[in-house]
Each structure stands twice: as structure tokens, then as C-alpha cells.
Amino acid sequence: MSIVIRKAKKDDASQVVSLIYEAIGEIANRLTGESDVNKVLEQLEALFCREDNRHSYLNTYVAVKENQPQNVLGILVLYSGIDGLNMDTNLKKWLEQKNSPIIQIDPEAHLDEFYVDTICVHESCRGLGIGTILLQFAEEIAKQNGFYKLSLNVETEKFSAISLYERVGFVVTEPWTIIDEPFHHMVKKL
């Protein structure tokens, strides 16, 4: 199976959003200001199709089979720590316009890091090396953008994910909190 990583397109919205939701879970509720799962997914799709936030299609890459480029097997959302701050300001404004509860949006990366916000492989494709391919791709994008550190946050109890990240060279550098939940901040020097 030949895997290709390509830039996400707006047409990928429903496939990508389901994987984003699987990866970030209830954090999506707070980022969208919604509690009903269908509303959360609908609002995540709206965010994906916009150009000014973390989960925009502009920050998203998808893994596909070379001969089936329309079927998303995995996703990668990444951007610089600096861009993350600007996008968070836009998200706050969007939530205000929706009259949603305003939340504290915690920074997720240091300013000198290129940040993997979300990575998720479709359940039927796990164990095929797609996650590793996506992380290797993230390293290349970080280098192309002049960064020497690639970072991510992982929930403290996601042991298989932590193991994957350590296997490809990430190390836990500090505890991190995102919307009152504990995470490990992991960094790979490039």
C-alpha cells in the first residue's frame, strides 16, 4: 500500500472532522461552544472550512492511498507556536460572535516550536505505520519553515501514543495543561 500525504481540501471536511473529534474528544465541545455531538461536528466542519483557526484545512494534511486520494486514512494538523497564538485570538472572536461561553484558550506550544496539534489515524488503518509517516512528514514541514523543534501534547494516560512518540524520538519535556486537563508536552529536536 503506497501512502501519500497531501494538503487537506475543504471537500475532506467530514472525514477529517470525525478524526479530529476522535483525537481531541471533549476539548472540541469547549472549542466550539457546543455540547451536542452533532452540533460539535457541525461547528468543527465550519472551523475546518475557515482559514483563520487551528483546525483549518490550511493547517491540515491527510494521508491517503496513492490510488484512492479521496479516502482519508489519517490526519495531521500542524502550525507554529506563534501562529497558534494568532489563531486563538480568532477563535475567541468567533466564539463571542456565536454568544458561546468564552473559555481560556491555553497556548499549546512554545513560540520556538512547530506544533503537531492533532494527529489521528482511522481505526481500520492503525498499525500500518501511517502515524509514523505523518510524524516524519511533520518533521519535514517544520524544517522547511525554519524550526529546530517539533512538539506535541499527549494526554498522560494515552500510553500507546506516548510509546509511538518516544519511538520516533520525542521526549517528555514538561507537564502541560489544556483546558484543565493534564498532558505531557513532548519535543523532538530536529
Side-chain angles (χ1 to χ4, degrees):
M1 167 171 49
S2 183
I3 301 297
V4 175
I5 309 298
R6 66 167 170 79
K7 201 78 162 124
K9 303 177 288 195
K10 288 182 182 181
D11 292 344
D12 298 320
S14 64
Q15 294 180 79
V16 169
V17 162
S18 66
L19 291 172
I20 290 173
Y21 185 71
E22 182 178 342
I24 69 173
E26 288 188 22
I27 290 174
N29 298 29
R30 297 185 64 187
L31 292 178
T32 61
E34 302 292 343
S35 57
D36 174 73
V37 173
N38 292 325
K39 281 284 200 189
V40 170
L41 293 172
E42 177 183 297
Q43 293 301 298
L44 279 176
E45 274 199 42
L47 287 170
F48 178 78
C49 291
R50 292 173 57 119
E51 298 181 354
D52 62 351
N53 69 92
R54 294 177 185 200
H55 290 102
S56 168
Y57 71 98
L58 295 177
N59 303 317
T60 305
Y61 296 86
V62 296
V64 297
K65 288 182 186 176
E66 189 170 27
N67 61 348
Q68 295 177 330
Q70 71 285 359
N71 293 338
V72 174
L73 309 177
I75 61 159
L76 174 69
V77 178
L78 73 161
Y79 47 82
S80 74
I82 295 167
D83 288 341
L85 291 178
N86 296 328
M87 290 185 285
D88 288 347
T89 300
N90 295 332
L91 181 60
K92 285 179 189 178
K93 288 178 187 173
W94 179 73
L95 287 167
E96 287 171 5
Q97 290 169 353
K98 289 179 38 157
N99 292 319
S100 294
I102 303 304
I103 59 167
Q104 171 62 35
I105 301 174
D106 302 308
E108 296 189 19
H110 294 292
L111 300 182
D112 64 339
E113 297 170 346
F114 213 72
Y115 179 63
V116 175
D117 180 294
T118 309
I119 183 168
C120 189
V121 174
H122 191 279
E123 186 176 24
S124 67
C125 301
R126 292 182 187 150
L128 301 176
I130 296 171
T132 300
I133 292 168
L134 286 166
L135 288 169
Q136 290 168 343
F137 183 83
E139 289 178 32
E140 293 307 312
I141 297 297
K143 288 178 193 174
Q144 288 172 17
N145 282 277
F147 285 83
Y148 300 98
K149 289 191 253 177
L150 182 64
S151 68
L152 54 83
N153 292 304
V154 60
E155 293 172 72
T156 55
E157 72 278 356
K158 288 195 173 179
F159 302 111
S160 61
I162 293 167
S163 177
L164 166 64
Y165 302 144
E166 288 175 336
R167 192 172 70 247
V168 297
F170 284 85
V171 295
V172 174
T173 57
E174 62 191 298
W176 206 274
T177 303
I178 302 172
I179 309 181
D180 300 323
E181 297 294 326
F183 285 77
H184 291 304
H185 190 70
M186 300 184 78
V187 174
K188 180 173 184 178
K189 293 186 178 175
L190 305 175

